[in-house]
């Protein structure tokens, strides 16, 4: 299995910055994609930023130009740098990893793993 541990959430003012961290353990070599989603109250969970299987970066339209995803493979850690934060960014942010084909059993192919979530609150 894959374990995801998140940190870095908190309370900031409009225009401020936060950096979230997600550290993976377990079958790290089997991870195909990894990134961040968020849950805003009253809305469906949405993609924030993600590394694709080819290593390219994918961003949601609402955060393009303000958020940056990065990683440190030696530490098995993915980061989300959030700048120019707005009240509309308030919500719970989740780290998510998906497995590829390098797994011991076919049933594990494509399985998703989620972190516990971290709260981000931006005051107006």
């Amino acid at each position: 299995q894959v374990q995801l541990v998140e940190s870095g959430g908190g309370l900031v003012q409009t225009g401020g910055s936060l950096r979230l961290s997600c550290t993976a353990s377990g079958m790290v070599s089997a991870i195909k994609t990894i990134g961040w989603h968020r849950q805003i109250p009253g809305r469906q969970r949405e993609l924030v930023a993600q590394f694709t299987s080819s290593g390219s970066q994918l961003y949601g339209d609402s955060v393009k130009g303000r958020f940056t995803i990065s990683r440190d493979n030696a530490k098995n850690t993915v980061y989300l740098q959030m700048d120019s934060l707005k009240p509309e960014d308030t919500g719970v942010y989740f780290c998510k990893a998906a497995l590829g084909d390098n797994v011991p059993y076919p049933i594990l192919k494509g399985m998703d793993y989620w972190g516990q979530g971290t709260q981000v609150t931006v005051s107006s």
Side-chain angles (χ1 to χ4, degrees), residues 103-121:
V103 293
Y105 299 97
I107 195 173
L108 297 177
K109 294 181 179 180
M111 285 191 62
D112 292 342
Y113 292 89
W114 294 84
Q116 79 283 359
T118 184
Q119 176 70 40
V120 172
T121 302

Side-chain angles (χ1 to χ4, degrees), residues 31-59:
I31 294 175
K32 181 179 180 180
T33 64
I34 188 168
W36 298 88
H37 290 66
R38 68 185 182 186
Q39 182 71 59
I40 297 176
R43 300 181 181 183
Q44 296 188 39
R45 188 172 297 183
E46 64 182 17
L47 171 72
V48 177
Q50 185 179 73
F51 281 109
T52 68
S53 59
S54 63
S56 61
Q57 300 173 8
L58 182 66
Y59 294 95

Side-chain angles (χ1 to χ4, degrees), residues 79-94:
Y79 304 95
L80 182 67
Q81 179 66 43
M82 304 185 294
D83 298 320
S84 301
L85 284 163
K86 307 174 182 179
E88 304 93 276
D89 296 318
T90 295
V92 180
Y93 285 68
F94 297 90

